[in-house]
Amino acid sequence: MREILSQADHWSAYAAELRRLLSRVFDMLDVRCLELNELLVGEPLPESHSHLRNGAHVDAQEALDLLERMVDGRGPYGQLREGDRVRVQSGWDGAVHLYLEPEAAARLASLESQVAFLDWRRAVQDAEPATPVVCAVADSDYWAAVRIVAGEQLTLLCERWAHGAFGSTWYRLTPAVLAEVSQAVRPRSLLCVVVDPDFRHPAEVRDEDFIVFEPPLVPGKLRSRYFPGGSDDVDELVDEGFSLALSEVALGGWLAVVPDADGVIRSRWEVPEEDPR
């Protein structure tokens, strides 16, 4: 985004019209609940949306709140859908993309606006990406294998529940906390286990994608921060207690996806590319 749109002139009028139009769409199509996926969290989630994860279901009112934040440039971002019937997501510079079956779209032909520009076109179905995806399931066998290694070596677990700098939670695993952690991770999250991590000083990895931790690394949830694209503020991080750094290159092993309650994987996580070095 060129700017946070809520700081632009006449934003409030556009935001109100955007909500009116989308509310009208939801009413006309009888949309009451939508599923959130492809979540991207670039800033800490506000308290009102702290429950959000991939696969979360939100009512129409919360969907309007989220879409306004997406269009505004605050986020979090994601795709909202009701099965294959309705899909809605933000674009750039104030745009919202609404994907519907032709019959449903025809019902909305009466929509008009003095503030927003409405454009209709036939969409081309998205091609399936060629990038390989993680297919391993975080099932009982996965956790049993993790338990063995966690009892022998220093073992960390990354739960990536969304894309973006604030979409990950880290744990130190031991056999004593493994059951609690396995219950804490959310369906549709990507898991990665790091055994005997190669910790560095933050200054050594400042130009890489990296994660910093605050010692001591006690079993359970860790205090951490993720810096995709690196950071120049490593001195500040160390002053705040984040003296251990781990390059994201380490996050390529023990990958698995937390399934839904029925044991099925319903999220798509690409296999990380190998380190080009």
Side-chain angles (χ1 to χ4, degrees):
M1 300 292 291
R2 291 193 301 257
E3 61 181 336
I4 302 297
L5 289 188
S6 59
Q7 298 171 6
D9 293 340
H10 310 300
W11 163 256
S12 58
Y14 177 68
E17 181 67 353
L18 180 69
R19 296 180 71 99
R20 185 191 74 81
L21 286 169
L22 288 171
S23 180
R24 180 69 176 142
V25 168
F26 291 162
D27 286 343
M28 292 177 72
L29 301 178
D30 195 28
V31 173
R32 299 288 177 247
C33 182
L34 298 103
E35 182 180 278
L36 175 65
N37 278 298
E38 299 183 13
L39 183 60
L40 188 155
V41 181
E43 298 180 2
L45 287 173
E47 184 62 31
S48 58
H49 297 307
S50 61
H51 62 286
L52 294 179
R53 295 292 188 275
N54 284 308
H57 288 85
V58 299
D59 61 24
Q61 185 61 47
E62 186 173 7
L64 293 176
D65 295 340
L66 287 170
L67 287 164
E68 182 179 334
R69 291 182 65 95
M70 292 180 204
V71 171
D72 174 6
R74 290 174 294 162
Y77 303 90
Q79 180 189 101
L80 293 158
R81 65 189 307 154
E82 188 207 62
D84 295 326
R85 201 167 66 98
V86 177
R87 173 161 59 99
V88 58
Q89 59 198 71
S90 67
W92 294 101
D93 296 336
V96 171
H97 301 293
L98 182 66
Y99 297 86
L100 306 166
E101 294 293 334
E103 296 78 10
R107 295 174 57 190
L108 306 181
S110 60
L111 288 177
E112 295 181 353
S113 175
Q114 299 299 313
V115 176
F117 174 74
L118 307 180
D119 185 28
W120 305 81
R121 69 187 68 183
R122 185 172 295 277
V124 178
Q125 186 162 351
D126 297 335
E128 284 293 324
T131 309
V133 298
V134 178
C135 297
V137 182
D139 55 14
S140 58
D141 290 340
Y142 177 84
W143 290 111
V146 172
R147 175 181 291 277
I148 293 173
V149 74
E152 298 173 347
Q153 300 181 69
L154 177 60
T155 303
L156 304 184
L157 174 77
C158 173
E159 178 196 7
R160 184 155 291 170
W161 46 269
H163 296 286
F166 290 87
S168 300
T169 304
W170 281 84
Y171 302 88
R172 179 185 171 183
L173 298 181
T174 64
V177 301
L178 192 69
E180 179 182 348
V181 172
S182 67
Q183 293 300 310
V185 296
R186 303 287 188 92
R188 308 195 185 188
S189 293
L190 174 67
L191 303 184
C192 174
V193 174
V194 181
V195 181
D196 192 20
D198 179 20
F199 289 120
R200 315 282 291 279
H201 188 277
E204 297 179 65
V205 294
R206 67 193 311 158
D207 296 325
E208 305 176 28
D209 301 339
F210 69 93
I211 307 96
V212 290
F213 302 90
E214 180 185 41
L217 303 180
V218 298
K221 187 176 179 179
L222 299 175
R223 188 164 177 251
S224 64
R225 290 189 192 173
Y226 173 41
F227 291 90
S231 173
D232 293 326
D233 300 326
V234 294
D235 291 336
E236 262 184 52
L237 291 173
V238 174
D239 290 343
E240 292 177 34
F242 295 99
S243 58
L244 299 177
L246 184 65
S247 173
E248 193 182 32
V249 171
L251 308 187
W254 293 74
L255 296 173
V257 179
V258 183
D260 285 1
D262 59 2
V264 176
I265 291 178
R266 291 190 176 87
S267 58
R268 180 186 179 88
W269 292 96
E270 295 181 355
V271 176
E273 294 183 5
E274 293 187 10
D275 180 10
R277 295 170 299 175

